[in-house]
Amino acid sequence: GLSMNETLKKLERENIRLASFPKRVLAYIIDNLIISAIILLIFADELVGFDDITQIQMLMANFLGGILLLQFAYDFVFTFLYGATLGKMACKISIVGESSLYKPNITQSAIRAGVKRLSDGAFALGFVWALGNDLRKAWEDYAAKTLVIELA
């Protein structure tokens, strides 16, 4: 792959700006609200009968695998088909392959979605990582060789 400086020069040549961290945070929040809404819709019938938080926690714990699969599928499908999740689309930012500067391929999309689950499991530590490097790369970007860029 290209060095960080070569990548920065390439982006400058192509007149491409990296997405700002606040926009990435907002996109992340929007995506999590969408996924939470889907989960609430799936479990609406069960949740109506619950009268305390412990029952809800137990239900979610029992379906943790399914919830992780839903999150993975959401990230994977939207990244592969559109190069952006709904949250990223709303914020006018997009994911591109570092070398192609085109939407991620199927392998990159799968790796990115998988590593994002690990980052989320580590209290979003992989996401905060993007503050500490010039290419604003989170763990999933390093793993999948992707960048998040501004569209507008």
Side-chain angles (χ1 to χ4, degrees):
L2 297 172
S3 75
M4 188 171 58
N5 281 342
E6 289 170 323
T7 303
L8 286 168
K9 282 179 187 157
K10 181 177 173 180
L11 292 173
E12 201 176 323
R13 252 198 328 272
E14 300 290 333
N15 202 21
I16 295 172
R17 290 191 334 266
L18 292 167
S20 72
F21 192 72
K23 273 194 180 181
R24 288 187 69 170
V25 170
L26 183 59
Y28 182 83
I29 292 168
I30 292 169
D31 286 330
N32 280 307
L33 288 172
I34 291 168
I35 291 168
S36 298
I38 294 168
I39 293 165
L40 278 174
L41 285 172
I42 293 169
F43 293 111
D45 291 347
E46 286 95 339
L47 294 172
V48 170
F50 289 174
D51 50 15
D52 79 64
I53 194 78
T54 316
Q55 292 174 299
I56 296 172
Q57 288 170 330
M58 283 178 67
L59 176 72
M60 293 301 135
N62 290 338
F63 287 98
L64 186 61
I67 291 168
L68 288 171
L69 196 62
L70 174 69
Q71 291 172 318
F72 174 86
Y74 174 87
D75 279 339
F76 170 72
V77 169
F78 277 103
T79 299
F80 179 62
L81 293 179
Y82 306 106
T85 56
L86 295 171
K88 284 185 174 64
M89 289 176 199
C91 294
K92 295 185 168 52
I93 60 178
S94 179
I95 306 160
V96 294
E98 201 174 326
S99 53
S100 69
L101 298 183
Y102 186 68
K103 71 179 181 170
N105 63 33
I106 196 161
T107 308
Q108 286 174 307
S109 300
I111 290 169
R112 199 173 192 288
V115 173
K116 197 166 177 186
R117 300 286 66 78
L118 296 174
S119 170
D120 283 358
F123 309 103
L125 197 59
F127 189 66
V128 176
W129 211 259
L131 284 171
N133 63 84
D134 288 345
L135 292 174
R136 298 193 194 133
K137 289 177 141 228
W139 290 352
E140 58 265 27
D141 295 311
Y142 280 106
K145 295 180 173 53
T146 55
L147 299 168
V148 182
I149 63 165
E150 295 278 348
L151 289 177

